[in-house]
Every structure is written in C-alpha cells, then in structure tokens.
Amino acid sequence: MSSLRYVVAVDVGGTETKAALVNGGPGAATVLAERRRPTPRLDDGAATAAAVVDSVIDLAAELGDLAEGPVEALGVVVPGVVDEERGVGVLSANLGWRDVPFHRLLAERTALPVAFGHDVRAGGLAELRLGAARGSTDAVFLPIGTGIAAALIMGGRVQSGGGYAGEIGHVDIGHGEPCGCGQRGCLERVASSAAVARRYAARTGRRVRGAVDVAEAVRAGDPDAVLVWDEAVDALARALLLTSTLLGPEIVVLGGGLALAGDLLTAPLGRRLTDLISFQRRPELRLAELGDAAGCLGAALLAVDLLEAR
Amino acid sequence: MSSLRYVVAVDVGGTETKAALVNGGPGAATVLAERRRPTPRLDDGAATAAAVVDSVIDLAAELGDLAEGPVEALGVVVPGVVDEERGVGVLSANLGWRDVPFHRLLAERTALPVAFGHDVRAGGLAELRLGAARGSTDAVFLPIGTGIAAALIMGGRVQSGGGYAGEIGHVDIGHGEPCGCGQRGCLERVASSAAVARRYAARTGRRVRGAVDVAEAVRAGDPDAVLVWDEAVDALARALLLTSTLLGPEIVVLGGGLALAGDLLTAPLGRRLTDLISFQRRPELRLAELGDAAGCLGAALLAVDLLEAR
C-alpha cells in the first residue's frame, strides 16, 4: 500500500481562495476535489483575517467530508510577509492585516494538525518537488502576476529569511517611477502583469483585460504593445541579473499571468539576460508547470511534511 | 575527555597563504600554531595552482609535526568561484586559474581526508559558529577588502549556489563606472578598501597605504576623504538594501580591511540603510569578530565537519 495521506490544502489569494482535498506524500500530490471562493474582505485587516479563518475552516470541513479515509492535516498558505516559524501573517498590504497569529487561530478551530505558510514559497516548494524545478538544489520560482515575488530555493530548500526573503518585485531596476512601497524604480512597477496592462492602456487609451491582451497585441505587431513588453522584459532581465549575481541559481521558473505568454516572454528574456550576464552563472529559464495550482499543492506538501516530521 | 580533534587548516589568499594547526570541534576551534607564506604566483594559472598544492602540502606536514596527537584532516579554502561539491576551483581572476580539481590534487598528496571550500564562505561559517553571527539562521558575512564578496547564510547554513552565490561586489549600484568584470556600476569599484584608497589617491594626488589612511583622513576632517568615504558608504547601503529585499537577513557582519574603521563605517552605513529601507527587514550591522583568521578557522570547521559526517 502507498503511504499517501489525505490532507486539505488552502491557498488564500488576494482575490480568490483555492482549496483542495489532496492525496499526497512528500513527493506526490493528487487533487481529488477542489473548491474556489472569493477571499473575504472586510473593513479592517483583523476582521478580514477572522473571516478568512472562518472560510478556511468551512472549506476544510466541506472537503474533508469527501475523503474516503480520515483527513490527517490542514495546510494553509497566505500572501504578504509570512513568518512560518511563528505561524504569523506579519503583513498583507493587499488584505490589510498585520501580525495575525493564523496558526493559533486555525488550530483553535480544528482538531487537525495545521501547517501554515507563504503562498509564493509554497508554490516554489510545489514546483521544486512536483514541477519545473524538480531535481534542482538552487532555483528561483518567479510568479509574475498582480505583483512580483520570488521563492528562493537554496541548498535544496525553500528559504524564508524569517519571512522577508524574495521581495524581488521591489528591487530598484532604475526606471525612477515611484512605487506604492515607498521606493522608486521597483521591478513590479513595469514588469508585473498588472503593470504591463496598465502601462499599455495608459499609452494607447485602449481598455485591456490584462497582460494577455497586451501579449496578443505584441504578436500582432502593435508598436505600443511591443514597447511596453520590451520594457518589462528588460526590467525582468536586470532583476534576474541581480539575482544571479547574489544567488547563482541554475534554474529560474517563470510563473503567474505574464508567463502564460510562453515563448513571447522566455525567448526575449533569455536573449536579454545572455547579453547582460558576465561571469555569473546563466540560469536556465523554464515555464512553471503547475499553473495557479502551485500554491495549493505547496500547502498540501507543507501539511504532508508536518505529518512526516512527527 | 573532549571530542576535539587536530586538523590542519589552510586559507589560500590572493597574496598570502595562512595555515594553522587547530584543535577543533563543530562549534570550537583553537589555533595552536600558525604559519604565513606568500601565495605562489607563476606565469600561468595551472602552474600557480600546482605550486599552491605543493605549498599547502608542505604547510600541512610542517604544522602536523607540531601536534601532540594525530592530525585527522586537512581543510583548504581558496578564493574565486569555487564548486565545493565537485571540489573544483572554477575560476580565480586574481590567481589566474580555471577548473582546477583541487580536492583530487590534494587528496593524491596526503593520506588525510581533505575538506575543500571557498575562502569567503568558510569565513562566513566561522563567523556563524564562532563569531559575530552566532545564533543567527539568516545572515550575511561581508568582508570588504581588495574585492567584495559575501557569504550568504540562509536557514542556518552557508549557501553556495553551486559556487556562484554571494558576488555582491558586482551588483550594479548605479555609478556607471566600468569594472574589470565587464559590467558597469559594480559595488566594488567604489566601496572596496582598494577602491577607497585608489579613489582618494586619484582625487588628491596623495599616496596612501590603504583605506586605513583614508579613514584617518576622514577622522581629521579632510573633505576629499569625507567625499570618497561617503560615496563608499552610500554604495554599500544600496547593496545592502538589495540584499535585504532579496534575502531578508537579520544580521550583516562587516569584515575585511574597510571594517577595521569600526564606527566610522558602521554608524553612517546604518543611518543610510535606515533611510533607504522601506518594508524590508532592517538588518543589524555588526563588526566581524574573527578578523583575518576567519577563513582559516572556517577551513578548520570544514575539516571537522567532514570527520563528523563519517
């Protein structure tokens, strides 16, 4: 018999919460059932956090009822600055909370052991064990969505830096524009999928649904789209150069909305990075394999790891 | 009785090789005897590497004779790009070698088990176990000497990135001047102790022995020295901001020649970093505790770790 276990995994996103009943082991995770719900948003961060806890507990109960055996653990990941060791959501600019003891709040509401983590690092763990970074010990998972953050894999482990590692969206790549974080020149102001859509719309006056529309316009030869896209690619290449200089990853896994453009992103980004690289190791660029399920699968792996460590 | 063992440790520097007979354990290292010699330099890198191996073997024999018990292992660290896993000195721009299989070359010449590593990462290991980063899991050791490289401690371990991690001396901090590495704007062009001395001499026409002289001139209120020093401090603060954004260390240990200036470096650097920091974790700045013995002590720890792992 396999040593796979039933766990419930929940990925609390900025707009949507994804939950899954997973049959998993340390290097395997099969989704048996899925649920998606809007992430609750209330007037203040503490109330939002409490509603998120309610929602996670509901989803766990609902999915747990579908399992053909006992569910053994609950894995939950949230965005922002997350201190895994203390089990605290330190800060979510988007959802408005500060210093929420999620691990304790969840453990008070369920008899299951609770693994608590960070959405992007959990996604990196999933790509490392099950996806595009399999077999690597030094890699970076870079989901490019509304914002840009990275999961840093060094020495075969996803490193958290006490919750502060991986904020590559806020490295200064020199464009000088102010960012909501209080700094200037931040990568995500020109290279997030939201920024690409926003900058194209501002330039042309055209409405776009997102970066996917801009990518389509690039393919059609629209010069405004090409310009915005090239600026994003150049900024990403500069940020990857910095990352290579400091960390020396062998693989960079590109994910999130912008990576849906596939070759349109990886081909020029690879060329630009090759131009910039000097003595550094040139990382191989790969597209993420797990799509938007990465965070949820990572939450399942965290839950399995918790059980295995017992 | 203690479980301390005798090991010989050798730190091959760009100009000087330091060797020591050490009585050590995983968290202890006492230097019983020391030897220093100029690092051999021949016409080509391969010949230099062969002469370095000869020199290391000589030093090991000489120091081994002084031990009051059997020497159990040899630890050797070298500069440049070092692949610890394969035991290869991949590249030393300074000493001119490429792809030298040091581990094999040394093991062929001694009956002792050989631990082979990187000088800066070994120094970081020593500061982590015995020095200023004790008790930390996420820290950066930043020796500022002729060049600038960092040892990255994440998750309680010194991370190597396949030998490529920590090249912070070559992050672009925006001054635009060309660097020997082929890039522009590199940190070490304005902030290494060699750069501080060179830039002050170029500005004033005065001869200086090194950054220590410039520090003295800063203390005396020399405006040229103040300007050069401030530029170095500003560049270091920008590089530490990047490091904090990407890695989130809780401690930065400053070492090397420039850190001999003590408060004159840490006080303005701390202020400038506080100005620049936004949402990132502000690392505590500490002065290195092990001075120029860090690399050699780290080599001893690598030798002890090799024995402990058996």
Side-chain angles (χ1 to χ4, degrees):
Chain A
M1 261 301 291
S2 89
S3 63
L4 297 183
R5 305 150 175 278
Y6 290 107
V7 299
V8 169
V10 185
D11 176 6
V12 178
T15 54
E16 190 180 50
T17 295
K18 303 176 196 81
L21 173 66
V22 173
N23 198 13
T30 305
V31 173
L32 303 175
E34 257 194 310
R35 294 288 181 275
R36 294 184 179 227
R37 284 192 192 170
T39 298
R41 280 191 105 106
L42 297 162
D43 283 347
D44 72 291
T48 296
V52 161
V53 169
D54 287 344
S55 170
V56 168
I57 295 297
D58 279 0
L59 285 161
E62 190 179 328
L63 284 162
D65 286 345
L66 305 176
E68 289 175 2
V71 169
E72 296 187 55
L74 172 62
V76 179
V77 301
V78 305
V81 176
V82 171
D83 184 334
E84 286 100 337
E85 223 161 279
R86 293 191 302 130
V88 171
V90 176
L91 175 71
S92 167
N94 191 3
L95 291 166
W97 64 58
R98 259 182 195 281
D99 292 319
V100 178
F102 276 108
H103 187 275
R104 182 171 61 74
L105 296 175
L106 289 163
E108 285 171 1
R109 300 278 299 279
T110 173
L112 297 176
V114 175
F116 175 72
H118 180 248
D119 57 354
V120 174
R121 285 193 284 279
L125 181 68
E127 290 287 351
L128 174 65
R129 299 242 192 108
L130 314 169
R134 258 194 320 275
S136 174
T137 54
D138 297 285
V140 170
F141 171 52
L142 188 68
I144 308 169
T146 311
I148 306 179
L152 310 180
I153 294 153
M154 298 197 81
R157 301 179 65 87
V158 181
Q159 302 292 348
S160 75
Y164 290 89
E167 293 288 353
I168 192 172
H170 298 281
V171 297
D172 181 358
I173 48 90
H175 58 70
E177 283 179 34
C179 176
C181 78
Q183 304 179 106
R184 281 175 184 275
C186 291
L187 172 66
E188 71 177 41
R189 291 299 296 172
V190 301
S192 70
S193 56
V196 166
R198 176 177 43 75
R199 299 181 86 226
Y200 177 76
R203 215 181 149 72
T204 60
R206 271 170 237 149
R207 285 197 139 185
V208 287
R209 288 162 305 165
V212 174
D213 287 353
V214 183
E216 231 168 74
V218 171
R219 285 205 181 85
D222 172 343
D224 291 305
V226 168
L227 191 136
V228 166
W229 196 262
D230 283 353
E231 284 178 350
V233 165
D234 185 67
L236 287 167
R238 287 176 190 283
L240 288 184
L241 177 69
L242 270 174
T243 305
S244 293
T245 306
L246 271 183
L247 307 179
E250 55 186 340
I251 295 169
V252 172
V253 175
L254 301 162
L258 210 68
L260 296 176
D263 270 6
L264 192 71
L265 177 64
T266 53
L269 181 55
R271 282 195 300 271
R272 189 77 189 101
L273 186 56
T274 298
D275 288 347
L276 292 174
I277 282 264
S278 161
F279 62 91
Q280 300 92 340
R281 170 153 74 171
R282 159 74 159 78
E284 186 187 335
L285 304 185
R286 294 186 186 171
L287 291 169
E289 290 181 6
L290 306 175
D292 73 353
C296 207
L297 291 169
L301 293 173
L302 292 176
V304 168
D305 285 356
L306 180 68
L307 294 169
E308 296 286 324
R310 292 188 158 200
Chain B
M1 261 302 289
S2 89
S3 63
L4 296 184
R5 304 149 176 279
Y6 290 107
V7 299
V8 169
V10 185
D11 176 7
V12 178
T15 54
E16 190 179 49
T17 295
K18 302 175 196 81
L21 174 66
V22 173
N23 198 13
T30 305
V31 172
L32 304 175
E34 256 195 311
R35 294 288 181 274
R36 291 182 181 229
R37 286 193 191 170
T39 297
R41 279 191 107 107
L42 297 162
D43 284 349
D44 72 290
T48 295
V52 161
V53 169
D54 288 344
S55 170
V56 168
I57 295 297
D58 278 0
L59 285 161
E62 189 179 328
L63 285 162
D65 287 344
L66 305 176
E68 291 176 0
V71 169
E72 296 187 54
L74 171 62
V76 179
V77 301
V78 304
V81 176
V82 171
D83 184 336
E84 288 99 336
E85 224 161 280
R86 292 191 302 131
V88 171
V90 176
L91 175 71
S92 167
N94 191 5
L95 291 166
W97 64 58
R98 258 183 195 282
D99 293 319
V100 178
F102 277 109
H103 186 276
R104 182 171 60 73
L105 296 175
L106 290 162
E108 284 170 1
R109 299 278 299 279
T110 173
L112 297 175
V114 176
F116 175 72
H118 180 248
D119 57 353
V120 174
R121 285 192 284 280
L125 181 68
E127 291 287 352
L128 174 65
R129 298 241 192 108
L130 314 170
R134 258 193 320 276
S136 175
T137 53
D138 297 284
V140 170
F141 171 52
L142 189 68
I144 307 169
T146 313
I148 305 178
L152 309 180
I153 294 153
M154 298 197 80
R157 301 178 66 88
V158 181
Q159 302 292 346
S160 74
Y164 291 89
E167 294 287 353
I168 193 172
H170 298 281
V171 297
D172 181 358
I173 47 90
H175 58 70
E177 283 179 32
C179 176
C181 77
Q183 303 180 106
R184 281 175 183 275
C186 291
L187 172 65
E188 72 176 42
R189 292 299 296 170
V190 300
S192 69
S193 56
V196 165
R198 175 176 44 75
R199 299 182 87 226
Y200 177 75
R203 215 182 150 73
T204 60
R206 271 170 237 149
R207 283 196 139 184
V208 288
R209 288 162 305 165
V212 174
D213 287 353
V214 183
E216 230 168 75
V218 172
R219 285 206 180 84
D222 173 344
D224 291 305
V226 168
L227 192 137
V228 165
W229 195 263
D230 284 353
E231 285 178 350
V233 164
D234 185 66
L236 287 167
R238 287 177 189 284
L240 289 184
L241 177 68
L242 269 175
T243 305
S244 294
T245 306
L246 271 182
L247 306 179
E250 55 186 340
I251 295 169
V252 172
V253 176
L254 300 162
L258 209 70
L260 297 177
D263 269 6
L264 192 70
L265 177 64
T266 53
L269 181 56
R271 283 195 299 270
R272 189 77 188 100
L273 186 56
T274 299
D275 288 347
L276 292 173
I277 282 266
S278 160
F279 63 90
Q280 299 92 340
R281 171 154 73 170
R282 159 74 159 79
E284 187 187 334
L285 303 185
R286 295 187 185 170
L287 291 168
E289 290 181 7
L290 306 175
D292 72 354
C296 208
L297 290 170
L301 293 172
L302 292 177
V304 168
D305 285 358
L306 181 67
L307 294 169
E308 296 285 324
R310 294 190 155 198

